[in-house]
Amino acid sequence: MQVFDKLIENKGLAIALGYFDGVHLGHQTVIKSAVEYAKANNTKSAVITFKDHPCCYFYGVCPKYILSRDDREKRIADLGVDYLFELDFDEKLCSLSATEYMERILVKYFAPISISTGFNHSFGANKSGNVEFLRENQTKYNYKYFEIPPQQYENELVSSTSIRTLLHNGEIEKANNMLGKNFEISGFVVEGQKLGRTLGFRTANVEYPTELVDIPFGVYKVETQFGKGIANFGIRPTVSNHNKAILETHILDFDKDIYGEVLTVKFLKMIRPEQKFNSVDELKVQISRDIGSI
């Protein structure tokens, strides 16, 4: 997949429109619609999106993301997309009416043979463009429109908002099912206080990305590229006086030095909230129980 951060002329594409934070089951269906139509018509597919959520521009505050931009790119690439356009959401774009956006951006640069969006997609100044606009203008601009209906999991709407709420509440398994993949973070392994070694459970420490949705302080069943393990996200109240949260991952049957390497931690399940124990010995017993539970 080729990634572009500005508009370039590339016509005759099957395109998918949306922000796609999380690339969840609903997003995947939208993107696959474009990919499949492109293949069926011997052309290329493209996702047209933005570097940052539009809320960052309108309200000056960005929402907590489900994926980093790099991870979003990887998940979109995994769906077979040929081109990804990540544009700046700025005054120039947001001031365009729906018709202007269609003609000056989509038609001028892409002349799409198809457009795929979610059922609630909107665009243009004051959200003047929507699914009705896209449906009604198929003949005028010579494209086929695919409106993807709501996707559900356990009779609940799959949405980025729902997934953020689930993650924030520690409902990792349900969030993962809506995502269609595990929630994960990646970061460089940094040196900590080496407290894990004194407890008999060596850990790899990663700073939790501040731009991602906050999960509860607690102990989690996880998986890394080096194997399965348990992770504690929090401030380590039993053994530390620091208030800075850190993600500490104990990888089972692994004892290599990976300082400075990138560790990817996939969250599978929340085991329990973080808690303060009366002694280090009590903590060690509980860690053993946590490991036994996975």
Side-chain angles (χ1 to χ4, degrees):
M1 184 181 74
Q2 291 181 269
V3 181
F4 302 93
D5 62 1
K6 60 183 178 181
L7 290 165
I8 62 169
E9 192 172 294
N10 194 338
K11 296 187 174 182
L13 304 178
I15 66 175
L17 305 178
Y19 183 68
F20 303 120
D21 181 25
V23 196
H24 57 57
L25 293 179
H27 295 155
Q28 291 173 33
T29 307
V30 173
I31 294 170
K32 287 178 182 177
S33 168
V35 171
E36 291 168 2
Y37 196 77
K39 290 179 178 178
N41 290 273
N42 197 31
T43 188
K44 301 291 187 180
S45 59
V47 167
I48 318 298
T49 188
F50 300 103
K51 295 176 185 175
D52 296 305
H53 198 285
C55 287
C56 303
Y57 176 83
F58 286 119
Y59 307 114
V61 178
C62 294
K64 290 284 189 174
Y65 295 122
I66 299 168
L67 291 176
S68 68
R69 188 183 300 169
D70 284 345
D71 287 337
R72 181 177 68 158
E73 290 177 0
K74 291 174 185 174
R75 294 200 180 186
I76 291 174
D78 287 343
L79 296 172
V81 174
D82 296 298
Y83 307 114
L84 172 62
F85 290 84
E86 292 182 304
L87 309 178
D88 289 312
F89 193 86
D90 54 21
E91 184 177 357
K92 178 182 177 181
L93 278 181
C94 73
S95 64
L96 297 177
S97 67
T99 298
E100 289 171 334
Y101 185 78
M102 173 64 72
E103 294 179 351
R104 298 184 189 180
I105 304 297
L106 300 184
V107 173
K108 178 181 178 180
Y109 289 95
F110 306 111
I113 65 166
S114 73
I115 298 176
S116 299
T117 77
F119 68 99
N120 57 355
H121 183 72
S122 62
F123 62 97
N126 300 314
K127 298 184 178 180
S128 53
N130 50 32
V131 296
E132 287 78 15
F133 177 93
L134 291 169
R135 189 182 304 112
E136 292 169 359
N137 283 283
Q138 294 178 85
T139 300
K140 180 178 180 180
Y141 297 111
N142 196 30
Y143 63 84
K144 184 173 180 62
Y145 176 56
F146 296 98
E147 176 192 345
I148 305 304
Q151 305 297 301
Q152 294 191 329
Y153 174 75
E154 294 184 344
N155 297 318
E156 291 185 34
L157 176 67
V158 175
S159 70
S160 298
T161 299
S162 296
I163 292 168
R164 288 190 192 96
T165 300
L166 290 170
L167 292 171
H168 186 71
N169 292 337
E171 298 181 67
I172 305 298
E173 293 170 292
K174 190 171 183 178
N176 287 343
N177 283 318
M178 286 192 175
L179 283 169
K181 283 194 173 183
N182 296 319
F183 174 68
E184 66 182 54
I185 73 160
S186 296
F188 289 102
V189 177
V190 298
E191 288 203 36
Q193 297 174 282
K194 296 183 172 60
L195 295 172
R197 296 184 184 184
T198 65
L199 296 173
F201 304 98
R202 183 174 180 176
T203 62
N205 298 349
V206 172
E207 293 185 2
Y208 193 92
T210 56
E211 73 271 18
L212 296 189
V213 60
D214 297 314
I215 60 174
F217 287 174
V219 178
Y220 295 84
K221 177 182 178 181
V222 300
E223 192 172 74
T224 76
Q225 71 266 42
F226 302 108
K228 297 180 180 180
I230 62 166
N232 184 85
F233 175 56
I235 57 175
R236 302 159 292 178
T238 305
V239 296
S240 175
N241 293 321
H242 297 290
N243 291 322
K244 182 180 179 181
I246 194 80
L247 178 66
E248 301 176 295
T249 303
H250 172 67
I251 306 168
L252 303 183
D253 303 316
F254 184 81
D255 195 36
K256 293 183 180 179
D257 186 345
I258 54 173
Y259 289 123
E261 294 188 35
V262 173
L263 180 68
T264 297
V265 181
K266 298 181 179 182
F267 292 81
L268 306 181
K269 179 183 180 180
M270 185 174 182
I271 298 173
R272 62 174 176 84
E274 183 179 52
Q275 62 188 100
K276 184 174 182 178
F277 294 91
N278 293 322
S279 69
V280 171
D281 287 338
E282 281 189 19
L283 173 59
K284 290 168 67 175
V285 169
Q286 183 60 55
I287 294 174
S288 295
R289 289 174 180 166
D290 294 336
I291 293 174
S293 72
I294 65 173

